[in-house]
Amino acid sequence: MTFVVTSACIDVKDTACLGECPVDCIYEGARKLYINPNECIDCAACESACPVDAIMSVKLVPSAEFEFIVDEARFFSTILPGRDVPVGDPGGAGRVGPIRADTPFVAGYGR
């Protein structure tokens, strides 16, 4: 994974980054957006489009936000509330639409 959406996106979910992603790898959860680590091509287009600076390279994530690196992958690999199967790698967010669920970490994240 090269880019991750951090806590600044929670309950903001500005979608300016969605239109910039050439491979449609940014998925919409209930409280934040998630970048699919297997579909991302490391182009960085989303990073500069994010008006709240929530998207960053994993190399630049501050230690207080490290859990978001693991949680980003968890969103795609585990069964989320209200779903029967993991999101997986569907080949683009447009194929599945908004997920309307979050990982337990993000669902319980306090501001």
Side-chain angles (χ1 to χ4, degrees):
M1 178 187 307
T2 54
F3 287 89
V4 64
V5 181
T6 60
S7 66
C9 185
I10 295 176
D11 297 329
V12 174
K13 275 193 340 185
D14 187 296
T15 58
C17 58
L18 298 180
E20 299 302 316
C21 181
V23 294
D24 192 29
C25 73
I26 305 171
Y27 293 72
E28 185 176 347
R31 294 186 69 194
K32 76 180 265 297
L33 303 173
Y34 298 82
I35 297 173
N36 186 311
N38 297 323
E39 296 175 355
C40 179
I41 59 169
D42 194 22
C43 71
C46 59
E47 183 180 30
S48 61
C50 181
V52 296
D53 297 325
I55 300 173
M56 60 185 69
S57 166
V58 294
K59 296 174 185 172
L60 301 176
V61 173
S63 60
E65 301 269 316
F66 277 176
E67 183 63 24
F68 284 93
I69 297 171
V70 175
D71 198 62
E72 202 87 340
R74 193 178 298 133
F75 179 82
F76 298 97
S77 64
T78 62
I79 298 174
L80 301 171
R83 296 184 55 89
D84 296 326
V85 296
V87 175
D89 302 325
R95 292 183 179 193
V96 296
I99 304 299
R100 294 187 176 88
D102 289 301
T103 61
F105 173 71
V106 169
Y109 194 84
R111 296 300 257 147

